Amino acid sequence: MMRLSIAMVLWGLTLMASAQIVQPVKWAFSLKSIDAQHVEVVAMATMDKGWHVYGMHLPDGGPVPTRLVVEVSDEIELVGSVTDRPAAVEVFDKTFDMKVSYYKGTVWLTQKIKLAKSQPMVIRGEVEFMACNDEQCLPPDVLPFSLNFSPQVAVVTEKSQSAPSLEVVVPIAVESVSDSVVGDSAVQPAEAVASMVESGSEPSTDEGHSHWAIFWLAFAGGLAALLTPCVFPMIPMTVSFFTKHSKTRASGLRNASFYALSIIVIYVILGTVVTGIFGADSLNELSTAAWFNGLFGVLLIVFAISFFGAFELVLPSKWVNAADRGADKGGLIGSFFMATTLALVSFSCTGPIVGGLIVQAAREGGMAPVVGMLGFSSAIALPFAFFAAFPGYLNSLPKSGGWLNSVKVVLGFIELAFAFKFLSMADMILKLGWLPRELFLAVWIVIFGALGFYLLGKIRLPHDSPMERVPVSRFMLSMVVFSFTIYMIPGLWGAPVKLISGFPPPGRYAESPFGVGKEMPSGGGAVSSGHIPEGMHHGPQGILMFDDYEKALVHARKENKPLLLDFTGDGCVNCRKMEDNVWSDPVVKQMLENDFVVVSLVVDDREVLPESEQYVSQTGKRIRTKGHKWSDFQMTRFHRNSQPHYVILNLDEQPIGSDKAYDLDVDAYVLWLKNAVDVFHR
């Protein structure tokens, strides 16, 4: 009974350990005949809810992209590139400070190939992918496949109603790598896969959420544009025109409402034209191009100088005159041309805001530019419709005056700040190093500091009215601006300034990763001899760490300190969140520097191991890179395959206490570290 009990306990522990292996992606492979010489290799990925794999086209320095590779030979020739259905969703990732794409739900990757001979053959290839959810990432995995092709199978043309039932042979190596990754659907007839390709399945995305965000951002921009000298004085003038020149109140309300609707239509057409000319995909690529970001940054500087009063930006007068002549026709047609005149006349104030909104919407892709223009124009049109319905409230509007120019100047300061954001992106894309994090923050500190002094009347610009005393509203706003300015100053010394996260370049893109005026640590408590041992380097938060397990273990035994294993990845978003939000805590950082020897094991490191160090894992997987090695080490030793993953070992390489995963609770992390130190020294 004792032996049976022990066996049951061990069996239960084994199940618990193996349950930590996460396998959320299932792959199925098949062939689809096109004609006598062409077939398509189809790879279908099905992801569990909440999980995604990254797209095929990602910038360098980001996550590992998904790729489908078919081996070429004398008999096999690739035709075109790999296509995906549905297309990957694109988002801007603040952690990587770049645009990334990903697939959710189900995706089909297809590679068309040409066969030189009509004879039986085996078509081989592999897929590489990296799966993540909101809390963890899995190491990149390479999954080989082989498919049997037989020329006896009836050829299917594009008009055929069904695909041939081609045999799909999944090699044993695939099953031994990960049964759950392939799953029960690994062996499927091409007919089933082909029908799924035809029907398609759209992944669940956050597109609706992002469109609402763009709408309200654009709506706020429209409210700001209302308070400029190009638009605000037009409100009482235009509404009074409709109410006085209409025979009845109902007709005046109808004309004013149509005028407001025309404003919305004009700007939505603008967003539609921009999207139609460039296309959603081209617009996305354009918004992340170095030359476009640089050009738009310069353009925003020109707009800002115009807002400051150096010159006036106007459209050709013949455009305005043509629209004005159309407005003389009266009625609904006249109302539409009056709205067109407003859009043209107010360009000097609204143009910079509209341009910035279109570029920001382009980062979201799809119909975001149209949604953005809908939000912007709705804010512009709202007061015209409201005061036409309730003309009595016109008298409650503040009188036009110098405050309108002040609003325009304030917008000029904001335009100038955003200009450097675009210039910064161009600089990072080209890796010029002209606008590092410290200089960017210094520029923003100067811009918003100058804005604060402007609000207090200490700076006068060409079109400003004399100001004998500072209104309370301007004084209160200046306090907010100065507080924000002072908040950014510690960023020069390495403070995270999380309030503006995503605007300045990341910490790695700095003259010093540790901030201006702060020297690189000489070694901290982790190095008792005062010099950095061989194999050690400065990692996140300047913490000295190893990237090789064996070297770290030797050093831990020499220093008589526990060894903390950090299973991480260059493409792991949540690993960066842990480093930025937990490891940055002074207590955590001090303990990692003084009480532990830290080794960072990067599971997506693509550096190829020497031939003598390559091997076949217990899982049957070929270990060829450093990332494969550490991923295999994590799975076989600790029965886990997700990152971030933290394990603390004693000098006999035995775990101390439980391991730790993604958790932004700093207090819990500190308690975990302290318990491990107590157990180690006990």
Side-chain angles (χ1 to χ4, degrees), residues 428-625:
M428 286 191 295
I429 294 171
L430 297 176
K431 296 182 171 61
L432 299 176
W434 292 351
L435 197 58
R437 181 180 176 88
E438 297 92 342
L439 182 56
F440 181 96
L441 288 172
V443 170
W444 268 40
I445 289 170
V446 171
I447 290 174
F448 285 96
L451 173 58
F453 284 114
Y454 172 79
L455 291 171
L456 291 177
K458 302 300 181 182
I459 297 177
R460 288 274 305 277
L461 293 174
H463 300 301
D464 285 329
S465 302
M467 185 170 56
E468 297 180 0
R469 63 179 64 87
V470 180
V472 174
S473 57
R474 291 182 67 131
F475 177 73
M476 297 297 293
L477 183 58
S478 70
M479 292 178 64
V480 174
V481 172
F482 278 127
S483 299
F484 177 66
T485 304
I486 295 173
Y487 166 79
M488 289 189 290
I489 293 176
L492 299 174
W493 283 266
V497 287
K498 297 179 181 179
L499 194 61
I500 56 172
S501 176
F503 283 94
R508 65 178 182 273
Y509 198 79
E511 293 180 355
S512 170
F514 310 102
V516 175
K518 182 181 289 187
E519 297 181 357
M520 183 178 291
S522 60
V527 183
S528 58
S529 58
H531 70 277
I532 301 178
E534 182 182 357
M536 235 178 180
H537 66 280
H538 287 93
Q541 306 300 329
I543 299 170
L544 278 170
M545 57 179 58
F546 288 89
D547 58 10
D548 184 272
Y549 174 77
E550 288 77 13
K551 292 180 180 179
L553 181 61
V554 171
H555 188 73
R557 288 170 175 169
K558 179 181 177 181
E559 296 287 324
N560 191 33
K561 294 179 180 178
L563 180 63
L564 189 147
L565 277 57
D566 168 31
F567 289 100
T568 184
D570 291 332
C572 174
V573 174
N574 291 309
C575 300
R576 304 292 86 77
K577 291 180 180 179
M578 287 291 294
E579 294 160 2
D580 292 342
N581 295 281
V582 178
W583 283 19
S584 61
D585 179 78
V587 177
V588 173
K589 183 178 179 181
Q590 183 182 20
M591 293 191 70
L592 293 178
E593 290 177 333
N594 299 323
D595 301 326
F596 295 89
V597 172
V598 182
V599 55
S600 182
L601 305 177
V602 183
V603 299
D604 54 4
D605 188 339
R606 295 195 173 194
E607 182 180 342
V608 179
L609 294 168
E611 285 286 343
S612 59
E613 297 182 19
Q614 297 183 15
Y615 63 96
V616 177
S617 170
Q618 298 175 7
T619 62
K621 183 177 181 179
R622 179 72 178 177
I623 305 302
R624 293 175 293 187
T625 67

Side-chain angles (χ1 to χ4, degrees), residues 379-403:
I380 294 289
L382 183 62
F384 293 98
F386 176 81
F387 288 113
F390 307 100
Y393 286 96
L394 279 174
N395 295 329
S396 63
L397 282 176
K399 303 299 181 182
S400 299
W403 68 273

Side-chain angles (χ1 to χ4, degrees), residues 115-432:
L115 305 177
K117 299 178 182 179
S118 180
Q119 63 182 25
M121 66 180 68
V122 178
I123 301 172
R124 294 184 173 87
E126 64 182 23
V127 290
E128 182 179 15
F129 63 99
M130 178 179 178
C132 294
N133 65 6
D134 292 339
E135 295 186 356
Q136 56 190 326
C137 285
L138 305 184
D141 201 358
V142 178
L143 198 62
F145 63 86
S146 65
L147 304 170
N148 281 357
F149 171 77
S150 175
Q152 283 78 27
V153 179
V155 175
V156 177
T157 64
E158 293 182 1
K159 296 182 179 180
S160 299
Q161 298 300 318
S162 62
S165 180
L166 298 180
E167 181 185 6
V168 179
V169 179
V170 181
I172 296 176
V174 173
E175 296 178 351
S176 62
V177 170
S178 175
D179 290 337
S180 295
V181 171
V182 180
D184 297 334
S185 61
V187 180
Q188 290 191 27
E191 182 176 357
V193 177
S195 65
M196 285 185 284
V197 173
E198 294 301 323
S199 62
S201 175
E202 293 295 327
S204 59
T205 69
D206 296 329
E207 183 178 2
H209 175 76
S210 62
H211 281 176
W212 275 112
I214 285 292
F215 178 87
W216 291 116
L217 175 65
F219 190 85
L223 293 179
L226 277 174
L227 301 178
T228 60
C230 310
V231 181
F232 186 83
M234 300 291 290
I235 298 175
M237 293 171 54
T238 305
V239 173
S240 297
F241 173 83
F242 283 123
T243 54
K244 292 179 181 179
H245 292 77
S246 299
K247 296 180 179 180
T248 63
R249 184 176 182 275
S251 63
L253 178 60
R254 182 184 66 251
N255 291 334
S257 299
F258 187 79
Y259 174 80
L261 180 62
S262 298
I263 294 174
I264 296 175
V265 170
I266 290 169
Y267 281 102
V268 169
I269 290 175
L270 174 63
T272 305
V273 168
V274 170
T275 305
I277 292 176
F278 294 101
D281 294 336
S282 298
L283 204 58
N284 291 340
E285 295 176 4
L286 194 66
S287 68
T288 55
W291 69 268
F292 181 79
N293 280 279
L295 178 62
F296 197 77
V298 173
L299 188 62
L300 285 183
I301 292 177
V302 174
F303 283 150
I305 295 174
S306 172
F307 275 13
F308 292 155
F311 53 85
E312 195 75 16
L313 289 171
V314 293
L315 292 173
S317 57
K318 61 180 181 180
W319 293 7
V320 179
N321 294 334
D324 192 48
R325 286 193 297 270
D328 294 336
K329 297 180 179 180
L332 298 181
I333 296 178
S335 299
F336 179 82
F337 279 102
M338 283 186 66
T340 305
T341 304
L342 172 69
L344 296 176
V345 170
S346 63
F347 171 78
S348 60
C349 294
T350 60
I353 302 174
V354 169
L357 288 173
I358 287 181
V359 173
Q360 181 61 36
R363 298 187 186 281
E364 301 295 333
M367 296 297 293
V370 178
V371 175
M373 290 302 94
L374 177 63
F376 178 83
S377 57
S378 297
I380 294 289
L382 183 62
F384 293 98
F386 176 81
F387 288 113
F390 307 100
Y393 286 96
L394 279 174
N395 295 329
S396 63
L397 282 176
K399 303 299 181 182
S400 299
W403 68 273
L404 287 175
N405 185 72
S406 297
V407 171
K408 188 176 178 181
V409 171
V410 170
L411 290 176
F413 279 104
I414 296 175
E415 292 275 349
L416 190 60
F418 273 94
F420 280 90
K421 169 58 181 174
F422 288 101
L423 294 176
S424 171
M425 289 194 64
D427 181 60
M428 286 191 295
I429 294 171
L430 297 176
K431 296 182 171 61
L432 299 176

